[in-house]
Amino acid sequence: MRGARHAGRAAGAVAVALAAAACGGGADTSGGTAPGVLSSSWGDPQNPLEPSNTNEVQGGKVLDMVFRGLKRYDPKTGQAKDMLAESIDTKDSQNFTVKVKDGWTFSNGEKVTAKSFVDAWNYGASLKNNQKNAYFFGYIEGYDKVHPDSGSQSADTLSGLKVVDDHTFTVKLNQKFSSFPDTLGYVAFAPLPQSFFTDHSAWLSKPVGNGPYAIESYTKGSQMALKKWDGYPGPDKAQNNGVTLKVYTDNNTAYTDLMAGNLDLVDDVPAPQLKNVRSDLGGRYINTPAGIIQTLAFPYYDPAWNKAGSEKVRTGLSMAIDRKQITDTIFQKTRTPATDWTSPVLGTAGGFQDGLCGKACEYDPAEAKKLIQEGGGLPGGQVKITYNADTGSHKEWIDAVCNSINNALGNDKACVGNPVGTFADFRNQIGQHKMSGPFRAGWQMDYPLIQNFLQPLYYTNASSNDGKWSNKDFDRLVDQANAQTDTGKAVSTFQKAEEVVRDNMAAIPLWYQNGSAGYSPRLSNVALNPFSVPVYNEIKVG
């Protein structure tokens, strides 16, 4: 999820400094929060926190605490397991009967019913609601009527959704999609209370969900306070009293606050500090593989990047990037050079293909220069890589990528970084198709399927296809893969689709990212899920 949900992130902290601050200066190691409440670094989400309108990391963190859906991805394995689903049955991989567990309510006391899901999905799919995750409902029958590619919608609800009774609804897809149940842990498929529809503006100001936490307050640019919901009926109750998410526009400040005892948890440590984190933090530093890949995307809506020969320019740029040097020196091996467009966390059975990119992802300055010349040269004579400057230490690695390209091409002005002040502004410019060259396009998986690394990013007009790349062969193979009822055959067909991405260098894969986090001595049982997000509900305080 969570198109540029999609942000590359690192994390860490310095426990020794925390301990010193606590002893020497009497620092408030609670970060100024209430007893049993932990504080964590955060960034303002791009949009209001509607489940079907949040497809980036910061908003996704909150929704993962506030909502529970039919499925939940196991925080250790990533496997899709039943949460509110009593059962999801099908005989043909196209028609599904969903049974919703009894006894679940929203934090305002409303019961969670089959209608809670159907209403939410209809809202998310509707063109008039302009939801960024509408595409996730595209396989449900009637989507073409409620969200046509052009013109006005001719229906307000999906014909493929039917409420049978309070705890049963049916889903009819417009084609076979054997993995459909495994997608239902994604937050776009979360249920919504009737208060969302009856007083939408009030709900947006203080979202109400059915997860282990309830939002207490939010001050944009400052912080969001979430408290444990004591009435939560699920098996994964919060082990703390709440989480205060503090907004930082500079991750160096967050790191400093953690060192000073003013913050409990950081999951975005500045790249220059990575060399110190292990020795400074000891057992309170986490560094584990995650379903995240960093790429450079291109604006295919700009003819300069979408003409005959452009694929040679893109491939040449890929070969001009010394991935190993950058991941070793800047990221201190918390990144691994990418050799395909997915993630090692999928495993080979799940579709990961180590080495698929081949020589196109290997550093070869001479071949890089040759290919770029054969492709007509850099558009305008220079590439400007756009990125958000507020989080993720992106400036350091963007500068390193540009230095690598400049060295390979023998031109110190061939590549420059183009910073945008905030993540929200960066995403807004991308959404308005204002990119004039390559741009940072990290992807954090929504669910652990190869389909999720390919379809949302590269399928024609897909939800997170920010560069508007389009290829009929790729689309055809994705459609075929989704229709396969045999998992192995589906995966192999998706791999053929990925070869089309490779042959066109639709985006440049840079590196796979580990999830890493650092925390203060007052926390325990801290872990990251396969999406690299802290498992907040399991963290203990004190």
Side-chain angles (χ1 to χ4, degrees), residues 21 145 237 297 331 407 418 447 459:
K145 300 293 193 299
K237 299 180 187 298
F331 293 117
N407 290 336
N418 181 38
Y447 39 83
Y459 196 91

Side-chain angles (χ1 to χ4, degrees), residues 174 494 507:
N174 48 37
F494 274 120

Side-chain angles (χ1 to χ4, degrees), residues 132-183:
K132 289 187 177 297
N133 287 329
Y135 180 77
F136 282 89
F137 306 101
Y139 281 99
I140 301 176
E141 187 179 73
Y143 182 77
D144 57 335
K145 300 293 193 299
V146 303
H147 203 113
D149 290 336
S150 61
S152 302
Q153 63 191 86
S154 57
D156 290 327
T157 58
L158 294 159
S159 59
L161 294 179
K162 303 289 184 187
V163 175
V164 177
D165 56 42
D166 279 354
H167 299 289
T168 310
F169 68 100
T170 58
V171 185
K172 183 177 183 180
L173 306 183
N174 48 37
Q175 68 172 73
K176 291 183 177 182
F177 186 9
S178 57
S179 297
F180 178 69
D182 289 339
T183 71

Side-chain angles (χ1 to χ4, degrees), residues 14 96 98 111 120 150-151 156 162 211 251 278 280 352 354 369 380 382 400 412 423 434 439 454 500:
V14 179
F96 297 83
V98 180
K111 290 184 177 181
S150 61
D156 290 327
K162 303 289 184 187
N251 59 337
R278 291 173 180 82
D280 287 343
F352 170 62
D354 189 13
K369 193 171 185 178
Q382 184 183 61
D412 62 5
F423 179 69
K434 291 184 176 180
F439 54 97
L454 299 176
V500 178

Side-chain angles (χ1 to χ4, degrees), residues 302-382:
D302 183 341
W305 287 100
N306 196 13
K307 61 184 180 182
S310 291
E311 71 282 353
K312 288 189 174 182
V313 176
R314 297 190 295 270
T315 302
L317 287 171
S318 175
M319 298 179 77
I321 300 170
D322 191 340
R323 293 165 176 79
K324 186 177 187 303
Q325 183 183 56
I326 294 171
T327 54
D328 283 355
T329 58
I330 289 183
F331 293 117
Q332 298 292 305
K333 299 183 179 181
T334 59
R335 311 287 191 278
T336 305
T339 63
D340 85 332
W341 283 259
T342 67
S343 168
V345 300
L346 294 179
T348 54
F352 170 62
Q353 298 182 88
D354 189 13
L356 176 72
C357 188
K359 292 184 180 296
C361 286
E362 296 175 6
Y363 183 57
D364 188 337
E367 185 67 15
K369 193 171 185 178
K370 176 186 173 186
L371 282 172
I372 290 172
Q373 290 174 342
E374 289 178 356
L378 300 176
Q382 184 183 61

Side-chain angles (χ1 to χ4, degrees), residues 254-315:
Y255 188 84
T256 300
D257 276 359
L258 185 56
M259 292 172 64
N262 297 323
L263 191 67
D264 289 317
L265 176 62
V266 173
D267 61 358
D268 194 359
V269 67
Q273 298 296 337
L274 286 171
K275 61 182 179 294
N276 303 320
V277 168
R278 291 173 180 82
S279 58
D280 287 343
L281 195 58
R284 287 188 290 274
Y285 176 62
I286 303 169
N287 180 29
T288 56
I292 301 175
I293 183 171
Q294 191 76 235
T295 66
L296 291 180
F298 293 88
Y300 290 94
Y301 45 79
D302 183 341
W305 287 100
N306 196 13
K307 61 184 180 182
S310 291
E311 71 282 353
K312 288 189 174 182
V313 176
R314 297 190 295 270
T315 302

